[in-house]
Amino acid sequence: MTAPLPPVALERDMCNALRALAMDAVQKANSGHPGMPMGMAEIAYALWTRHLRHNPSDPKWPDRDRFVLSNGHGSMLQYALLHLTGYDLPIEELANFRQLHSRTPGHPELGVTPGVETTTGPLGQGLANAVGMALAEKILAAEFNRPGFPIVDHHTYVFVGDGCLMEGISHEAASLAGTWKLNKLITVYDDNGISIDGQVRHWFADDTAARFRAYQWNVIGPVDGHDTVAVHRAIDEAKRSERPSLIIARTVIGKGSPNRAGSEKAHGEALGEAEVTVTREAIGWHHGAFVVPAEVRRAWDARAIGAERERQWRERLEQYASKHPREAAEFRRRCAGDLPPELARIVHDAVMAAQGKRESVATRKASQLALETLAEAVPELIGGSADLTASNLTRWSKAQALRTDTEFVRGRHINYGVREFGMSAIANGIALHGSLIPFSGTFLTFSDYSRNALRMAALMKIRSIFVFTHDSIGLGEDGPTHQAVEHTASLRLIPNMEVWRPCDTVETLIAWDAAIGRSEGPSSLLLSRQSVPFLRSTSATNDEAAIRRGGYVFSEAAGGAQRAQVVVIATGSEIAIAMQAQQLLAERGIAARVVSMPSTTVFDRQSQEWKSSVLPEGVPRLAIEAGVTDFWWKYVRAEGAVLGVDRFGESAPGAAVYEHLGLTAANAADIAATLARRRHGTQKHGRVPGERE
């Protein structure tokens, strides 16, 4: 179903409505980027009126086309499009651009504005998200479509600017998109030659067309980005391609502004009242601020055509369900974001089995064992590694690899190559698309490469799982370049990022289950390279519920809770040190409670009653973790101590590095004993190793 082309004059006014709303909103806020919306108006018109399949009345329709504004500083272009086509975004919100609690923030934000598919602003990540969305569409189409029933059949469109293509992530993402032959990914490059500092030719002289051809993309253009027919035909051509497409559209930034068009002055600041006035005159827009004539509004309104497209799709889905009921039920479950109803029982049984086996393995191996169970129970779980599969252990025994050598092979294990940032942002795109739960793996030190994508996942509150192995100095011989020290603490500082550092097979399984079940945000799983002993008591029947609280009593003090003279808190591989220290302390007549805190972020959300039951008031505390110590003071307080690593590591066997840096049971016992004796008045006050100076 295609609407008839409007008369030339109406088309001009429809484009100018985008320009006017953008410059009015930016001017009223005295903040923003009017140039890109004004320059891309004809491109947006061609896409949104002739090609984009969407329903403003149902922004989450599963088979809608996805639209991503990677150059998100031009957010007013998207807000104007959403408002004019009929989304629940009234004109008052456009007039409230960039103001507190408005639905039109400075950059598009998922969950704030209806119709926004991803939060953009950090340049290049929108393109990477779009690659993930297009990959998800291809995977789901291969899984669910049947002859005559293309229930997953949509495109992903993304606008990018010079900044997106300068950022290194564009290389990582575009290379993978070409390798995967994501033919339903269509990217329009706003080639206006201007960035904030001026003409980009002085610092961006790439042959962009050749670059993308080298990625195995279909490159179209350059085309005149102000010629709506040329843009329409380019999109048509792209839709016929068997490769992802880049449409290079030459535009003038700030088009219509007599004194600022084509200049960096149109990029990142309001035009000014005088220039807005002369621009109105120049483009023939004789209407007040935020006024759009009824005829133009009617021409933009996409609600009727959108509702009809969705109705036809839902009718097709019903027909599909009558012929393929099992597949339809699974598809609907995935679209709803529900997990398999039997998952809780499967996880509980697996926890009991792990408790019975008592395997002493590296937690990265425990993670792979968890995947053996969870991946079979949760078919939407899909993920891979940045060329570290054999080290991250992110592939389970039945996992088929995704391949595109000849024809598309729908695998659930993805080889991302050495592209940590691209991998993480693509995984975010898969999560944003819906119906799949992505995970991605690399070494914990390389989380630095992925950092902004991790932050964006947390900001967007999406279910993306990040697997980080080789989590400490315990990895050994690779040395300080690979030994994580500050990374665990830094991940915990990201708001809404749930961080797990499990100590054994049981905690690892529960951490994975918690991450899969967490629909309101991402999770990071930090896993050891070295083996860790299974030290959990055989009588610990309530461990599962306690672990899910993030921190719990792992081993009670001799004589019971009331006898505890010191609490030793540890995570991950350092639980073994804590347990050895507990024994050494017992030999000195000091009763110590050992607390495992696999997730401080979860523990911090618990009730004060639970926290006090785990960390009782009046009992001194020692925290042990192979990482920076500053993070732990909120738990041990001024009267406690922290045993950690406040320097870079060494290249040596892991055990030797632990010994060299003082992370030993004997050292822990000495510190804990001093804390306990001081508390009970048997030692004069003096500095305890691990105390604040």
Side-chain angles (χ1 to χ4, degrees):
M1 174 185 287
T2 303
L5 281 171
V8 173
L10 182 55
E11 175 184 299
R12 181 202 63 203
D13 283 352
M14 291 172 71
C15 294
N16 283 337
L18 299 176
R19 290 190 173 93
L21 289 173
M23 65 181 181
D24 287 345
V26 172
Q27 187 60 44
K28 185 172 186 293
N30 197 27
S31 174
H33 300 257
M36 185 280 268
M38 296 172 73
M40 292 195 78
E42 283 82 11
I43 298 170
Y45 167 85
L47 173 62
W48 280 64
T49 64
R50 304 300 297 167
H51 298 277
L52 194 71
R53 295 172 62 253
H54 65 116
N55 182 5
S57 300
D58 186 3
K60 295 300 182 182
W61 165 33
D63 201 40
R64 68 193 181 279
D65 287 340
R66 270 62 171 179
F67 173 74
V68 175
L69 192 76
S70 188
N71 43 351
H73 54 272
S75 57
M76 265 310 305
L77 177 64
Q78 187 164 17
Y79 299 149
L81 288 163
L82 293 169
H83 166 71
L84 291 170
T85 54
Y87 286 79
D88 182 18
L89 191 67
I91 194 68
E92 291 78 13
E93 291 292 346
L94 275 63
N96 207 24
F97 179 55
R98 289 190 165 213
Q99 304 308 301
L100 186 64
H101 303 314
S102 78
R103 299 167 73 189
T104 50
H107 293 82
E109 291 187 34
L110 182 73
V112 174
T113 313
V116 168
E117 301 282 1
T118 179
T119 300
T120 57
L123 294 175
Q125 283 197 67
L127 173 59
N129 293 164
V131 171
M133 293 174 188
L135 178 61
E137 192 275 346
K138 193 161 190 171
I139 291 168
L140 292 167
E143 181 174 3
F144 288 104
N145 287 354
R146 296 294 182 271
F149 294 102
I151 61 166
V152 181
D153 185 18
H154 52 267
H155 287 80
T156 300
Y157 297 97
V158 54
F159 286 179
V160 303
D162 290 301
C164 296
L165 300 189
M166 283 188 251
E167 289 285 2
I169 191 174
S170 69
H171 165 83
E172 298 182 25
S175 177
L176 281 167
T179 300
W180 292 332
K181 303 175 184 175
L182 300 180
N183 61 302
K184 290 187 178 177
L185 174 65
I186 299 175
T187 300
V188 183
Y189 167 32
D190 178 28
D191 184 12
N192 61 40
I194 296 292
S195 68
I196 289 175
D197 280 355
Q199 295 181 8
V200 300
R201 62 186 175 84
H202 300 295
W203 49 84
F204 184 49
D206 300 17
D207 186 337
T208 299
R211 172 185 166 192
F212 274 78
R213 289 191 184 100
Y215 296 144
Q216 303 180 64
W217 282 50
N218 171 43
V219 178
I220 302 170
V223 301
D224 182 352
H226 302 299
D227 182 338
T228 60
V229 174
V231 175
H232 161 62
R233 288 173 177 166
I235 296 171
D236 254 350
E237 180 182 339
K239 289 163 77 171
R240 295 191 296 271
S241 174
E242 295 182 356
R243 298 277 183 177
S245 292
L246 177 73
I247 300 171
I248 301 175
R250 293 275 167 80
T251 65
V252 176
I253 192 169
K255 183 174 174 58
S257 171
N259 301 301
R260 295 203 171 191
S263 161
E264 66 271 20
K265 283 292 187 180
H267 191 294
E269 59 185 76
L271 297 180
E273 293 288 357
E275 188 65 16
V276 168
T277 298
V278 296
T279 300
R280 274 185 151 72
E281 186 64 30
I283 65 176
W285 188 258
H286 306 297
H287 311 287
F290 301 104
V291 174
V292 179
E295 183 184 16
V296 174
R297 286 192 173 280
R298 284 193 298 270
W300 268 114
D301 193 338
R303 286 173 292 185
I305 192 171
E308 177 58 20
R309 284 169 172 159
E310 182 176 350
R311 186 199 65 77
Q312 292 175 4
W313 176 80
R314 293 197 178 278
E315 186 177 279
R316 184 162 63 251
L317 181 62
E318 290 299 325
Q319 295 168 352
Y320 173 86
S322 67
K323 289 184 177 292
H324 308 284
R326 184 186 65 81
E327 290 85 352
E330 175 68 5
F331 179 74
R332 284 170 167 150
R333 178 187 71 78
R334 302 261 202 99
C335 288
D338 297 332
L339 292 172
E342 66 276 11
L343 181 60
R345 174 189 56 78
I346 291 171
V347 171
H348 175 72
D349 291 347
V351 168
M352 293 299 99
Q355 178 82 12
K357 289 180 180 178
R358 305 183 61 78
E359 292 180 280
S360 294
V361 296
T363 51
R364 63 171 176 163
K365 180 61 178 178
S367 171
Q368 187 180 49
L369 295 173
L371 281 172
E372 292 288 350
T373 296
L374 293 169
E376 292 305 304
V378 186
E380 59 265 46
L381 191 63
I382 182 170
S385 170
D387 203 48
L388 291 168
T389 300
S391 295
N392 299 150
L393 302 182
T394 50
R395 187 172 181 178
W396 60 102
S397 60
K398 294 183 180 179
Q400 187 175 13
L402 185 146
R403 291 290 182 264
T404 55
D405 297 335
T406 52
E407 61 182 45
F408 185 74
V409 176
R410 178 182 60 83
R412 292 173 61 195
H413 182 268
I414 303 173
N415 298 99
Y416 282 100
V418 188
R419 301 181 179 93
E420 289 86 0
F421 192 8
M423 170 184 69
S424 302
I426 288 169
N428 287 347
I430 294 172
L432 288 160
H433 181 279
S435 302
L436 294 170
I437 300 175
F439 67 88
S440 54
T442 188
F443 291 171
L444 180 54
T445 47
F446 301 156
S447 65
D448 288 336
Y449 287 131
S450 301
R451 179 73 181 203
N452 204 260
L454 306 183
R455 184 177 188 272
M456 295 301 287
L459 179 62
M460 291 188 283
K461 302 179 181 179
I462 57 174
R463 182 159 40 189
S464 198
I465 303 171
F466 303 102
V467 179
F468 296 117
T469 69
H470 296 58
D471 68 345
S472 74
I473 58 172
L475 69 87
E477 292 84 348
D478 275 340
T481 59
H482 286 52
Q483 292 169 2
V485 175
E486 74 278 21
H487 301 78
T488 298
S490 71
L491 289 176
R492 290 172 178 147
L493 291 175
I494 300 175
N496 201 43
M497 174 65 74
E498 200 153 279
V499 181
W500 290 85
R501 189 171 185 249
C503 74
D504 59 16
T505 52
V506 172
E507 283 189 1
T508 304
L509 184 58
I510 290 173
W512 260 109
D513 182 53
I516 290 170
R518 186 173 189 243
S519 61
E520 70 278 10
S523 301
S524 291
L525 310 183
L526 316 186
L527 309 168
S528 73
R529 174 186 184 270
Q530 74 274 27
S531 290
V532 293
F534 192 96
L535 301 169
R536 191 175 302 278
S537 168
T538 55
S539 62
T541 57
N542 296 320
D543 276 0
E544 184 176 348
I547 293 169
R548 292 182 186 279
R549 291 178 176 263
Y552 64 104
V553 178
F554 188 87
S555 178
E556 189 53 272
Q562 299 304 314
R563 295 296 185 94
Q565 296 167 269
V566 66
V567 174
V568 182
I569 311 165
T571 74
S573 49
E574 285 71 73
I575 281 290
I577 295 175
M579 291 294 285
Q580 292 167 24
Q582 184 188 49
Q583 181 60 39
L584 293 173
L585 289 164
E587 293 170 4
R588 302 187 196 184
I590 299 173
R593 167 187 281 189
V594 174
V595 167
S596 177
M597 201 175 286
S599 179
T600 61
T601 48
V602 174
F603 182 74
D604 288 348
R605 296 201 301 268
Q606 303 307 307
S607 67
Q608 188 57 49
E609 181 183 12
W610 178 262
K611 293 177 185 176
S612 297
S613 73
V614 174
L615 303 175
E617 295 293 333
V619 183
R621 306 162 188 173
L622 166 65
I624 310 172
E625 187 171 64
V628 292
T629 59
D630 274 359
F631 172 82
W632 286 99
W633 288 102
K634 68 177 181 177
Y635 300 104
V636 303
R637 300 177 183 172
E639 63 271 18
V642 183
L643 178 58
V645 182
D646 287 318
R647 50 154 289 184
F648 295 116
E650 298 283 349
S651 180
V657 181
Y658 267 80
E659 181 74 28
H660 176 69
L661 296 181
L663 260 75
T664 65
N667 199 9
D670 287 345
I671 297 171
T674 303
L675 291 172
R677 288 170 181 155
R678 177 192 293 172
R679 174 65 181 169
H680 290 85
T682 58
Q683 178 175 308
K684 291 181 180 179
H685 184 76
R687 185 176 178 273
V688 178
E691 275 190 312
R692 284 192 185 275
E693 299 213 31

